[in-house]
Amino acid sequence: DGTAGGRDETGGDEDGDVSSSDAVDEETDTGTESVSTIRGIGPAYTERLSEAGVETVGDLLEADAAELASRTDLSETRISGWQDNAAE
């Protein structure tokens, strides 16, 4: 009975995970888009960000603006603006 109960709980968790993963998949889809999809980031900035290891919207959103600014020789204000655009 304990095993069956565990299976029931797992089945219940799986059902819950399906809904959660649907939401995560939607977020992941946006997060995996190229930074070039963000307003204000063209090919030159895309290349500079890529050289710093930032290739996706998710990468940009997770980055510390000040640290990324120092690695790319871009202004922290510009990077923060892109992060704001990406979050919209």
Side-chain angles (χ1 to χ4, degrees):
D1 286 333
T3 303
R7 287 184 187 149
D8 289 344
E9 287 178 22
T10 302
D13 289 346
E14 288 175 4
D15 289 341
D17 285 347
V18 169
S19 298
S20 296
S21 27
D22 287 345
V24 170
D25 287 344
E26 289 173 14
E27 292 174 13
T28 302
D29 289 345
T30 301
T32 59
E33 291 178 357
S34 169
V35 292
S36 65
T37 63
I38 298 169
R39 186 179 66 238
I41 301 181
Y45 288 138
T46 297
E47 185 176 339
R48 287 170 79 175
L49 291 168
S50 178
E51 289 170 358
V54 176
E55 297 185 353
T56 66
V57 172
D59 292 340
L60 181 64
L61 289 172
E62 292 175 4
D64 177 81
E67 181 183 328
L68 186 56
S70 69
R71 291 188 349 228
T72 58
D73 198 31
L74 296 168
S75 77
E76 183 177 347
T77 302
R78 180 181 302 273
I79 292 169
S80 293
W82 291 337
Q83 289 173 321
D84 291 343
N85 290 345
E88 291 178 353

